[in-house]
Amino acid sequence: MKLPVRLALLLTVIAATACAPGTSGGSGGDEATGTLRVWLFQEVGNQPKEKVVDAVVAGFEKAHAGTDVTVEYIPVETRAQRIKAAFNDPGSAPDVVEYGNTDTAGYVADGGLADVTAEFGAWDEAKDTDPTARRSVTVDGKVYGAPLFVGVRALYYRTDLFAELGLEPPRSLAELAATARKIRAAEPGLYGLAVGGAYTYGALPFLWAHGGDLTDLDSAASRAGIEAYTDLFGDANCPAAKCAGMGGNDTVTAFAAGKAGMAIGGDFSHAAVQAGAVRGKYAVVPLPGVAPGSIAPAFAGGNNVGVLRSTSHRTLAVDLMKRLASKATQRELFDAMGFLPTFADVRGEVAAAEPFVRPFVETLNAGTEFVPVAPGWAEVDSSLVLPTMYQEVVSGRKGVAAAAEDAAAKIGSAL
């Protein structure tokens, strides 16, 4: 008997978490001095993040005599290969690592992350963690890290260009596409809306807004969402030859440089845009949905920071993890990078103080979506199933139906 997709997925998740390798405690020891290695993600315009992290590290080293910390910033796109290799090679592995919230279940199944349930529960600041963010570090009731920031995406647009062309912010996805083409027609040297064939989390709101589902990509609703996004590639908006290989950072960089009228960017993209050529000439609104006035469901993204099970400095590593994810650091990361804090009280403070946060909070409040919470999702992500699907359509190698069917089979197999 064929099980319904959601029931089959649930049973797979239960089985995978039940069989996951035990990660309670650290297997490498608990030395009180020495060098701790930290891997953090490389951002667009990374220097402000580095400044915040350097201050945290300085405070940590001052508090712990005989310790020093080395920080390496790794590309987001290759994080899966780097981090999984580290799980198998403790000698070159970091002690503390930043990881995407979609990676938690897979990394726990791999036995790579340390169970820090007791330390997280005893941490006074943890009580104010947003429940959604807390779930992002929780697998089978145990905690495997600390939330670092929460992120959603919205629509950045050029206010100067919109005023010049007499345009209004689009109120539906159909208006978005039409507006993009008007900008491109009026300014052939610009992308109307910068889109990328490798920009998974910019594409997913189109799928979800049309009623699609990642566990049923070959449904009519999912195909409609895929088509709505891939139709934005072409000479009338963002030429496939240039845009098919672009990821999220590429689209934000294009917008910040003044090469696009619009782009889908995160709250975490704010610093990079502010540092670009469009500073003072842009605004942000929620990405619209299918119905005029609606908001497309955004991916509830964000990053966490955790301790590797193989660390030989468990107590020190946990302390450094908490310092990196603390309220004070999250406030500073918000000021430096625009990262939305995971603590409800801190997020409320920054939203009241900074108007640019409001469209992202409005998007969060409208309802968000997430990828399937299953160890197999890491395989889907690292094997680029979704970018491949979009790029096959954009390049003309496959139609929407065939590409979606192939991607659905791969996701089903992985999950």
Side-chain angles (χ1 to χ4, degrees), residues 380-392:
V380 174
D381 196 20
S382 63
S383 57
L384 305 178
V385 172
L386 292 174
T388 297
M389 176 188 71
Y390 285 111
Q391 289 170 336
E392 285 175 339

Side-chain angles (χ1 to χ4, degrees), residues 8-405:
L9 175 59
L10 177 60
L11 293 175
T12 301
V13 173
I14 292 172
T17 54
C19 298
T23 55
S24 179
S27 62
D30 200 12
E31 299 172 14
T33 59
T35 299
L36 279 80
R37 289 175 292 193
V38 180
W39 287 359
L40 300 177
F41 289 167
Q42 178 85 30
E43 312 289 345
V44 176
N46 201 56
Q47 288 186 345
K49 180 178 181 178
E50 293 176 26
K51 186 176 180 179
V52 173
V53 172
D54 287 347
V56 173
V57 167
F60 174 85
E61 291 177 339
K62 184 177 180 180
H64 298 284
T67 64
D68 62 89
V69 177
T70 62
V71 180
E72 180 180 354
Y73 292 90
I74 65 174
V76 176
E77 293 79 7
T78 58
R79 71 189 188 281
Q81 298 92 317
R82 289 286 305 274
I83 294 174
K84 286 204 171 191
F87 292 164
N88 297 318
D89 184 15
S92 63
D95 299 273
V96 178
V97 66
E98 180 179 355
Y99 62 94
N101 61 7
T102 61
D103 299 325
T104 307
Y107 290 169
V108 170
D110 290 338
L113 295 176
D115 174 358
V116 295
T117 306
E119 293 93 337
F120 189 85
W123 185 23
D124 183 62
E125 293 189 351
K127 68 181 186 303
D128 295 320
T129 302
D130 180 288
T132 301
R134 179 165 185 148
R135 284 197 297 272
S136 77
V137 294
T138 303
V139 177
D140 200 24
K142 296 180 180 179
V143 178
Y144 294 91
L148 184 61
F149 68 86
V150 62
V152 291
R153 290 163 177 81
L155 183 67
Y156 285 72
Y157 70 96
R158 288 271 300 276
T159 51
D160 58 336
L161 192 59
F162 272 56
E164 178 185 333
L165 299 179
L167 301 172
E168 295 291 333
R171 299 182 67 253
S172 69
L173 288 178
E175 287 184 14
L176 175 69
T179 301
R181 292 181 175 109
K182 288 177 183 177
I183 293 171
R184 177 75 171 176
E187 300 286 347
L190 301 181
Y191 305 133
L193 170 68
V195 289
Y199 191 7
T200 299
Y201 298 118
L204 287 180
F206 291 75
L207 180 127
W208 288 323
H210 284 82
D213 191 313
L214 283 169
T215 64
D216 193 12
L217 278 182
D218 55 356
S219 69
S222 294
R223 291 196 300 269
I226 296 167
E227 185 170 359
Y229 186 71
T230 54
D231 275 353
L232 292 165
F233 292 80
D235 291 341
N237 175 51
C238 202
K242 294 183 177 180
C243 302
M246 286 168 52
N249 285 353
D250 298 318
T251 62
V252 170
T253 298
F255 181 82
K259 298 178 180 179
M262 298 180 287
I264 299 167
D267 51 275
F268 42 86
S269 306
H270 178 254
V273 175
Q274 278 288 89
V278 298
R279 179 184 178 93
K281 298 183 290 187
Y282 73 93
V284 184
V285 294
L287 182 69
V290 173
S294 66
I295 297 175
F299 167 68
N303 288 356
N304 305 323
V305 60
V307 173
L308 264 68
R309 187 168 177 261
S310 61
T311 182
S312 59
H313 302 87
R314 180 186 168 89
T315 299
L316 290 172
V318 170
D319 182 53
L320 183 54
M321 174 195 78
K322 290 191 291 185
R323 289 170 182 259
L324 287 168
S326 70
K327 289 185 178 184
T329 303
Q330 290 196 20
R331 283 192 189 97
E332 292 171 5
L333 283 172
F334 170 80
D335 291 337
M337 302 294 295
F339 293 167
L340 279 180
T342 65
F343 297 102
D345 55 339
V346 181
R347 188 159 69 225
E349 292 169 10
V350 301
E354 294 288 353
F356 91 84
V357 173
R358 295 169 193 166
F360 301 102
V361 174
E362 186 179 352
T363 299
L364 279 168
N365 293 341
T368 56
E369 292 283 352
F370 200 63
V371 299
V373 182
W377 187 257
E379 179 185 338
V380 174
D381 196 20
S382 63
S383 57
L384 305 178
V385 172
L386 292 174
T388 297
M389 176 188 71
Y390 285 111
Q391 289 170 336
E392 285 175 339
V393 176
V394 169
S395 67
R397 293 196 303 271
K398 291 182 182 177
V400 169
E405 183 179 2

